[in-house]
Amino acid sequence: MSLFNVFEISGSALSAQSMRLNAIASNLANAGVVSGSAEEAYRARYPVFSTIYESARAEQPPGGVRVDGVYESKVAPRKEYSPANPMADEEGYIYRSNVNSVEEMANMISASRSYQSSVEAMNTTKQLIMRTLSLGK
Amino acid sequence: MQLIDRHLGISPDALNVRSQRFELLSANLANADTPGYKARDIDFAATLARVRQGEGEMRTTHGSHMQAGSGPLHMQVKYRVPAQASLDGNTVETQQEHAAFMDNAIRYQASLNFLDGRIKSIISALKME
C-alpha cells in the first residue's frame, strides 16, 4: 500500500530539515567568532536539498528529499580595525564571521515550519492507516 | 469473488488512487525547500477512469504469468501551475499543498466509510441476520 510510502517521504524531510536546523544552530553559535585572518574566519554553512527520484520516468512519483551537500557562504568576513584585540593581525585588523543572525533566525522559522508540516502529514496518514486497518469492524 | 468485487464498487479503486495522491502530496511538502523542484498532483478523475478500465495493467496471457499489482502505471501526473513561483525554481506552495492534503484525507475517509458500509452489509448477509 502506498500510504506507507508517505512515512518514508516525510521521514526524509524530517531528517533533512533537522540537518538544516543543526547548521543554523552552528551558524548562530559561531556568529561571534573572531579570527586573525580572512581565511580562518568562520563562514555560515547552508545545506542544499535535492529530490530523491526512484527512477527517471516522469510518471514515477518523486520520493523524499536528501541533503546534497553543505556549502559555505561566499560573503566576505567582516573586517574590523581593533588593534587591542589579541586576535588582531600585524595591521591591527580582526575578522568576524559572516553570519547574519537575522537571516539565520528567518531560516530557522522556515525550517521549523517545514518540519511541522511533515509531522502533520505523518500524523494524518497514521490516522488514516489505523482507520483502514479497522475496516469492517 | 467477482460478485464481492462488484458489490464493493468504486471505493477500493478510489482508495488506491487517493493513497497514491497522498504519496505525491507528501513528496511536494517534503520538497518545499528543494531548489528547482516542481510541484505535481494527479488528475484524479483521469487516473480513476484508467484504473477502472484496467489500463496500464499487465495482462496475463498465460496461466503461469504472475499478476502485477496496480501500481503507479495508471497515474496521470500533472505539474502544478504556481500562483507565485519562487526565485530558486521551486513551485511548491505549502498552503495549497496543505489544503490538498486535508481535502484528500477527508475524501479518503469518505471512501473508507462507504467501503465499511458495504463490507458490513456483506457480513450481515453471510450471517443471515
Side-chain angles (χ1 to χ4, degrees):
Chain A
M1 193 161 77
S2 49
L3 265 187
F4 283 105
N5 291 341
V6 173
F7 289 116
E8 211 172 294
I9 294 166
S10 296
S12 76
L14 293 190
S15 61
Q17 295 297 348
S18 66
M19 180 155 183
R20 191 170 159 207
L21 283 170
N22 271 338
I24 293 166
S26 137
N27 288 346
L28 282 173
N30 287 290
V33 170
V34 168
S35 59
S37 73
E39 291 77 44
E40 278 172 34
Y42 181 84
R43 283 154 207 274
R45 270 156 214 196
Y46 302 106
V48 186
F49 295 166
S50 77
T51 315
I52 308 167
Y53 286 100
E54 257 129 56
S55 81
R57 281 179 29 237
E59 65 265 35
Q60 191 76 14
V65 59
R66 65 152 178 254
V67 177
D68 240 7
V70 178
Y71 82 98
E72 285 194 337
S73 163
K74 295 212 170 59
V75 179
R78 277 184 298 135
K79 198 176 171 187
E80 200 177 294
Y81 186 63
S82 171
N85 197 307
M87 294 299 285
D89 59 7
E90 306 88 71
E91 289 162 4
Y93 284 105
I94 55 165
Y95 298 86
R96 293 190 183 277
S97 71
N98 64 355
V99 177
N100 182 341
S101 313
V102 180
E103 209 174 280
E104 296 301 330
M105 293 307 277
N107 229 335
M108 186 183 79
I109 294 169
S110 163
S112 83
R113 284 277 178 273
S114 298
Y115 194 97
Q116 280 173 18
S117 70
S118 287
V119 170
E120 223 165 285
M122 280 170 111
N123 253 333
T124 310
T125 312
K126 185 193 130 201
Q127 282 170 6
L128 289 176
I129 289 178
M130 293 320 280
R131 286 207 55 187
T132 313
L133 285 176
S134 62
L135 209 59
K137 273 179 196 157
Chain B
M1 274 317 272
Q2 241 179 7
L3 204 69
I4 292 176
D5 267 354
R6 218 178 309 142
H7 179 72
L8 293 180
I10 201 168
S11 300
D13 289 332
L15 284 180
N16 213 345
V17 179
R18 288 270 169 229
S19 61
Q20 282 171 12
R21 187 164 180 229
F22 266 124
E23 209 178 312
L24 264 184
L25 292 177
S26 70
N28 285 347
L29 277 174
N31 286 290
D33 299 311
T34 309
Y37 180 83
K38 307 287 181 230
R40 300 189 213 178
D41 202 349
I42 57 169
D43 184 344
F44 187 80
T47 308
L48 190 59
R50 283 191 71 175
V51 172
R52 295 295 286 169
Q53 284 160 13
E55 264 179 59
E57 209 146 87
M58 302 282 217
R59 286 215 177 84
T60 50
T61 51
H62 191 270
S64 56
H65 282 173
M66 274 193 267
Q67 189 71 47
S70 61
L73 291 165
H74 305 292
M75 282 230 261
Q76 295 287 90
V77 180
K78 304 239 163 89
Y79 287 103
R80 230 192 255 296
V81 180
Q84 207 175 17
S86 63
L87 272 178
D88 61 2
N90 187 307
T91 63
V92 179
E93 275 155 347
T94 325
Q95 63 283 4
Q96 215 181 343
E97 299 302 332
H98 268 138
F101 202 92
M102 274 290 120
D103 173 87
N104 206 35
I106 290 165
R107 285 168 200 273
Y108 186 93
Q109 290 202 28
S111 291
L112 266 187
N113 282 344
F114 293 140
L115 195 60
D116 201 39
R118 297 272 169 114
I119 289 172
K120 279 186 180 141
S121 71
I122 292 176
I123 290 171
S124 70
L126 288 173
K127 284 182 181 163
M128 289 195 284
E129 280 163 355

Short mmCIF file of all heavy atoms in Angstrom, two decimals, chain A residues 83-114:
data_model
loop_
_atom_site.label_atom_id
_atom_site.label_comp_id
_atom_site.label_asym_id
_atom_site.label_seq_id
_atom_site.Cartn_x
_atom_site.Cartn_y
_atom_site.Cartn_z
N PRO A 83 43.02 47.08 17.14
CA PRO A 83 44.39 46.69 17.50
C PRO A 83 44.52 46.14 18.91
O PRO A 83 45.46 45.39 19.20
CB PRO A 83 45.17 48.00 17.33
CG PRO A 83 44.19 49.09 17.22
CD PRO A 83 42.88 48.51 16.86
N ALA A 84 43.56 46.45 19.78
CA ALA A 84 43.66 45.96 21.16
C ALA A 84 43.29 44.49 21.27
O ALA A 84 43.63 43.82 22.25
CB ALA A 84 42.74 46.80 22.05
N ASN A 85 42.63 43.97 20.26
CA ASN A 85 42.18 42.58 20.32
C ASN A 85 43.38 41.63 20.19
O ASN A 85 44.22 41.81 19.32
CB ASN A 85 41.20 42.35 19.17
CG ASN A 85 40.37 41.09 19.38
OD1 ASN A 85 40.93 40.02 19.60
ND2 ASN A 85 39.06 41.23 19.33
N PRO A 86 43.46 40.62 21.08
CA PRO A 86 44.61 39.69 20.99
C PRO A 86 44.64 38.90 19.67
O PRO A 86 45.70 38.40 19.28
CB PRO A 86 44.39 38.75 22.18
CG PRO A 86 42.98 38.93 22.59
CD PRO A 86 42.61 40.33 22.24
N MET A 87 43.50 38.79 18.96
CA MET A 87 43.46 38.05 17.70
C MET A 87 43.88 38.90 16.50
O MET A 87 43.95 38.40 15.37
CB MET A 87 42.04 37.52 17.44
CG MET A 87 41.54 36.48 18.43
SD MET A 87 42.55 35.01 18.45
CE MET A 87 42.01 34.26 16.92
N ALA A 88 44.12 40.19 16.72
CA ALA A 88 44.39 41.10 15.61
C ALA A 88 45.67 40.73 14.85
O ALA A 88 46.63 40.22 15.44
CB ALA A 88 44.49 42.53 16.13
N ASP A 89 45.69 40.97 13.52
CA ASP A 89 46.91 40.70 12.73
C ASP A 89 47.87 41.89 12.86
O ASP A 89 47.61 42.82 13.64
CB ASP A 89 46.54 40.38 11.28
CG ASP A 89 45.78 41.50 10.59
OD1 ASP A 89 45.65 42.58 11.18
OD2 ASP A 89 45.32 41.28 9.45
N GLU A 90 48.99 41.87 12.08
CA GLU A 90 50.03 42.89 12.25
C GLU A 90 49.48 44.29 12.04
O GLU A 90 49.92 45.26 12.65
CB GLU A 90 51.19 42.67 11.25
CG GLU A 90 51.82 41.31 11.26
CD GLU A 90 51.10 40.35 10.32
OE1 GLU A 90 51.21 40.52 9.10
OE2 GLU A 90 50.41 39.45 10.83
N GLU A 91 48.49 44.40 11.12
CA GLU A 91 47.95 45.73 10.84
C GLU A 91 46.85 46.15 11.81
O GLU A 91 46.29 47.24 11.68
CB GLU A 91 47.41 45.77 9.40
CG GLU A 91 48.53 45.73 8.38
CD GLU A 91 48.03 45.32 7.00
OE1 GLU A 91 46.81 45.14 6.84
OE2 GLU A 91 48.88 45.20 6.12
N GLY A 92 46.51 45.24 12.73
CA GLY A 92 45.51 45.60 13.73
C GLY A 92 44.08 45.28 13.35
O GLY A 92 43.15 45.77 13.95
N TYR A 93 43.92 44.41 12.33
CA TYR A 93 42.56 44.07 11.91
C TYR A 93 42.14 42.72 12.47
O TYR A 93 42.95 41.80 12.59
CB TYR A 93 42.47 44.01 10.38
CG TYR A 93 42.47 45.38 9.73
CD1 TYR A 93 43.60 45.87 9.08
CD2 TYR A 93 41.31 46.15 9.77
CE1 TYR A 93 43.58 47.12 8.50
CE2 TYR A 93 41.29 47.41 9.18
CZ TYR A 93 42.43 47.89 8.54
OH TYR A 93 42.40 49.11 7.96
N ILE A 94 40.86 42.61 12.80
CA ILE A 94 40.30 41.30 13.15
C ILE A 94 39.22 40.97 12.13
O ILE A 94 38.71 41.85 11.45
CB ILE A 94 39.69 41.28 14.58
CG1 ILE A 94 38.65 42.40 14.73
CG2 ILE A 94 40.76 41.34 15.63
CD1 ILE A 94 37.76 42.24 15.92
N TYR A 95 38.92 39.68 12.00
CA TYR A 95 37.92 39.23 11.01
C TYR A 95 36.79 38.53 11.73
O TYR A 95 37.01 37.53 12.40
CB TYR A 95 38.58 38.31 9.98
CG TYR A 95 39.66 39.01 9.21
CD1 TYR A 95 40.96 39.10 9.70
CD2 TYR A 95 39.36 39.63 8.01
CE1 TYR A 95 41.94 39.77 9.01
CE2 TYR A 95 40.34 40.32 7.31
CZ TYR A 95 41.63 40.39 7.82
OH TYR A 95 42.60 41.08 7.13
N ARG A 96 35.62 39.09 11.59
CA ARG A 96 34.45 38.48 12.24
C ARG A 96 33.76 37.53 11.26
O ARG A 96 33.92 37.67 10.05
CB ARG A 96 33.46 39.57 12.66
CG ARG A 96 34.00 40.45 13.77
CD ARG A 96 32.90 41.33 14.30
NE ARG A 96 33.41 42.24 15.32
CZ ARG A 96 33.57 41.86 16.60
NH1 ARG A 96 33.26 40.65 16.97
NH2 ARG A 96 34.04 42.73 17.46
N SER A 97 32.99 36.59 11.80
CA SER A 97 32.30 35.63 10.93
C SER A 97 31.27 36.37 10.06
O SER A 97 30.82 37.45 10.42
CB SER A 97 31.60 34.57 11.76
OG SER A 97 30.49 35.14 12.40
N ASN A 98 30.93 35.76 8.92
CA ASN A 98 29.97 36.42 8.02
C ASN A 98 28.54 35.98 8.28
O ASN A 98 27.69 36.06 7.40
CB ASN A 98 30.36 36.18 6.56
CG ASN A 98 30.28 34.72 6.18
OD1 ASN A 98 30.02 33.88 7.03
ND2 ASN A 98 30.48 34.43 4.92
N VAL A 99 28.27 35.46 9.49
CA VAL A 99 26.91 35.00 9.81
C VAL A 99 25.99 36.20 10.00
O VAL A 99 26.34 37.13 10.73
CB VAL A 99 26.92 34.15 11.10
CG1 VAL A 99 25.51 33.73 11.47
CG2 VAL A 99 27.81 32.94 10.93
N ASN A 100 24.86 36.15 9.33
CA ASN A 100 23.86 37.20 9.50
C ASN A 100 22.76 36.64 10.40
O ASN A 100 21.98 35.78 9.99
CB ASN A 100 23.31 37.59 8.13
CG ASN A 100 22.29 38.70 8.21
OD1 ASN A 100 21.73 38.97 9.26
ND2 ASN A 100 22.08 39.36 7.08
N SER A 101 22.71 37.08 11.65
CA SER A 101 21.81 36.47 12.64
C SER A 101 20.35 36.58 12.23
O SER A 101 19.57 35.64 12.44
CB SER A 101 21.98 37.12 14.00
OG SER A 101 23.32 37.24 14.32
N VAL A 102 19.98 37.71 11.64
CA VAL A 102 18.57 37.89 11.26
C VAL A 102 18.19 36.86 10.18
O VAL A 102 17.14 36.21 10.25
CB VAL A 102 18.35 39.32 10.74
CG1 VAL A 102 16.91 39.51 10.33
CG2 VAL A 102 18.74 40.33 11.79
N GLU A 103 19.10 36.69 9.23
CA GLU A 103 18.87 35.71 8.16
C GLU A 103 18.74 34.31 8.76
O GLU A 103 17.87 33.53 8.35
CB GLU A 103 20.07 35.76 7.23
CG GLU A 103 19.79 35.40 5.80
CD GLU A 103 21.03 35.64 4.96
OE1 GLU A 103 21.29 36.82 4.60
OE2 GLU A 103 21.73 34.67 4.70
N GLU A 104 19.60 34.01 9.72
CA GLU A 104 19.56 32.68 10.35
C GLU A 104 18.26 32.45 11.08
O GLU A 104 17.70 31.35 11.04
CB GLU A 104 20.73 32.52 11.33
CG GLU A 104 22.10 32.58 10.70
CD GLU A 104 22.32 31.51 9.65
OE1 GLU A 104 21.73 30.42 9.77
OE2 GLU A 104 23.08 31.78 8.70
N MET A 105 17.77 33.49 11.77
CA MET A 105 16.52 33.33 12.51
C MET A 105 15.36 33.07 11.53
O MET A 105 14.51 32.21 11.78
CB MET A 105 16.20 34.58 13.35
CG MET A 105 17.16 34.83 14.49
SD MET A 105 17.37 33.42 15.56
CE MET A 105 15.96 33.60 16.61
N ALA A 106 15.35 33.82 10.43
CA ALA A 106 14.29 33.62 9.43
C ALA A 106 14.36 32.21 8.86
O ALA A 106 13.34 31.52 8.68
CB ALA A 106 14.42 34.65 8.32
N ASN A 107 15.58 31.77 8.60
CA ASN A 107 15.84 30.42 8.10
C ASN A 107 15.34 29.36 9.09
O ASN A 107 14.79 28.34 8.69
CB ASN A 107 17.34 30.27 7.92
CG ASN A 107 17.69 29.71 6.58
OD1 ASN A 107 16.88 29.04 5.97
ND2 ASN A 107 18.88 30.00 6.12
N MET A 108 15.56 29.65 10.37
CA MET A 108 15.18 28.70 11.41
C MET A 108 13.65 28.55 11.44
O MET A 108 13.14 27.44 11.56
CB MET A 108 15.68 29.18 12.76
CG MET A 108 15.45 28.21 13.87
SD MET A 108 15.97 28.88 15.43
CE MET A 108 14.61 29.94 15.82
N ILE A 109 12.95 29.68 11.34
CA ILE A 109 11.49 29.62 11.35
C ILE A 109 11.00 28.81 10.16
O ILE A 109 10.13 27.94 10.29
CB ILE A 109 10.89 31.04 11.35
CG1 ILE A 109 11.23 31.74 12.65
CG2 ILE A 109 9.38 30.99 11.16
CD1 ILE A 109 10.93 33.21 12.66
N SER A 110 11.59 29.06 8.99
CA SER A 110 11.20 28.33 7.79
C SER A 110 11.43 26.83 7.98
O SER A 110 10.57 26.00 7.64
CB SER A 110 12.00 28.86 6.61
OG SER A 110 11.97 27.97 5.56
N ALA A 111 12.58 26.47 8.55
CA ALA A 111 12.90 25.05 8.75
C ALA A 111 11.93 24.41 9.72
O ALA A 111 11.45 23.30 9.49
CB ALA A 111 14.33 24.90 9.26
N SER A 112 11.60 25.13 10.81
CA SER A 112 10.72 24.51 11.80
C SER A 112 9.30 24.38 11.26
O SER A 112 8.61 23.40 11.54
CB SER A 112 10.76 25.25 13.12
OG SER A 112 9.91 26.36 13.12
N ARG A 113 8.87 25.32 10.43
CA ARG A 113 7.55 25.21 9.80
C ARG A 113 7.50 23.99 8.86
O ARG A 113 6.53 23.25 8.85
CB ARG A 113 7.23 26.47 9.01
CG ARG A 113 6.84 27.64 9.83
CD ARG A 113 5.36 27.60 10.22
NE ARG A 113 5.02 28.73 11.07
CZ ARG A 113 5.14 28.74 12.38
NH1 ARG A 113 5.56 27.66 13.01
NH2 ARG A 113 4.83 29.81 13.08
N SER A 114 8.56 23.82 8.07
CA SER A 114 8.59 22.68 7.15
C SER A 114 8.58 21.37 7.93
O SER A 114 7.92 20.41 7.54
CB SER A 114 9.84 22.74 6.28
OG SER A 114 9.84 23.90 5.51
#
